[in-house]
Amino acid sequence: MSYLAPSEFVSKMVDAGESKIFMSTKDTLIRAFMAGATLALGAAFAISVTVQTGEPLLGAVLFPVGFIILYLFGFDLLTGVFVLAPLAVFDKRPGCTWRGVLRNWGLVFTGNFAGALTTAVLMAIYFTYGFQTEPSAVGEKLAGIGVDRTLGYAQYGAAGWMTIFVRGMLCNWMVSSGVVGAMVSTNVSGKAIAMWMPVMLFFYMVFEHSIVNMFLFPVALMMGGEFSVLDYLWWNEIPTVLGNLVGGLTFTGLTLYATHIRTSPSRATAPVVLARAA
């Protein structure tokens, strides 16, 4: 698998964060657009498999296909840059500022949304023969998902909002682990395996991923889902984005950085050093 040691791949994470901050607007938007579009297609594929086979686990096993493709092609997801870009600021890389981080996040969000929405329109056409027929079984499933994961949370009020936030945290803990997984190996098979494991977990556990939801909810509305755009934003996208940010940065980015870059002296060697100094 050509495995890299943690100190090596965490350094690559910081380097990647620096490159995201300085990337041109054009390149950032193109890579983000294609990431959103590709991940959305992977989600449509996984849900189609689940509906047609009745096996949610099989859909979860196959969902990482889209994620693996987009990262092998060098595209960028918001959930990934949530983790990588801040590390360059924490590491005090020259020219890396929070303003640059926010610029990157804003551009990637815009590109991801545009790409996911484009795939949503294309899949809506696919599911309805150009809006000439009733939605297919997969289209009906998508409409139901849209209702369940907006109004289904809304009925619990603040507790529902908190639940989405926590699911968003758990999601990007796993998804950002997949992003890091792409850096732990130098060959394609190793990268694919390392990305596949945590991403499968998030999809099967029905955690909330902001970019997947940028596809699911627009296409659900097109398929006749009985909820509003405001329901989608307040009862899903906003808490999901915030949860993705907190979960990915806390459980993946900062923990890896703190223990593999900002490493503390070993307790076993500290007394020896003091004794020699005396």
Side-chain angles (χ1 to χ4, degrees), residues 156-182:
Y156 296 104
W161 210 91
M162 180 181 66
T163 300
I164 312 170
F165 178 83
V166 169
R167 287 190 178 187
M169 287 182 61
L170 294 168
C171 173
N172 208 28
W173 180 8
M174 290 296 96
V175 172
S176 59
S177 296
V179 173
V180 175

Side-chain angles (χ1 to χ4, degrees), residues 119-131 215 218-219 222-223:
T119 299
V121 172
L122 295 175
M123 293 308 300
I125 293 170
Y126 171 77
F127 292 138
T128 62
Y129 284 86
F131 301 102
F215 161 74
V219 78
M222 296 177 209
M223 296 297 97

Side-chain angles (χ1 to χ4, degrees), residues 73-96:
F73 284 5
F75 300 146
D76 288 325
L77 290 174
L78 182 64
T79 43
V81 297
F82 270 164
V83 174
L84 299 177
L87 297 184
V89 178
F90 293 133
D91 204 51
K92 298 180 180 179
R93 295 291 177 92
C96 293

Side-chain angles (χ1 to χ4, degrees), residues 106-188:
L107 290 173
V108 174
F109 180 96
T110 302
N112 284 170
F113 189 85
L117 184 60
T118 298
T119 299
V121 172
L122 295 175
M123 293 308 300
I125 293 170
Y126 171 77
F127 292 138
T128 62
Y129 284 86
F131 301 102
Q132 298 303 306
T133 67
E134 292 298 314
S136 65
V138 177
E140 291 178 356
K141 176 66 173 179
L142 286 166
I145 289 174
V147 174
D148 291 343
R149 287 165 63 181
T150 52
L151 303 183
Y153 289 123
Q155 65 179 313
Y156 296 104
W161 210 91
M162 180 181 66
T163 300
I164 312 170
F165 178 83
V166 169
R167 287 190 178 187
M169 287 182 61
L170 294 168
C171 173
N172 208 28
W173 180 8
M174 290 296 96
V175 172
S176 59
S177 296
V179 173
V180 175
M183 303 179 184
V184 306
S185 175
T186 57
N187 60 53
V188 172

Side-chain angles (χ1 to χ4, degrees), residues 10-60:
V10 178
S11 293
K12 290 178 65 177
M13 290 170 62
V14 181
D15 292 341
E18 181 179 11
S19 72
K20 306 303 181 190
I21 291 174
F22 291 120
M23 191 179 298
S24 71
T25 298
K26 181 205 74 174
D27 291 341
T28 303
L29 287 173
I30 290 173
R31 295 181 191 190
F33 178 92
M34 289 308 303
T38 305
L39 191 69
L41 192 58
F45 169 56
I47 293 169
S48 296
V49 169
T50 298
V51 171
Q52 292 167 8
T53 65
E55 292 293 340
L57 180 58
L58 183 57

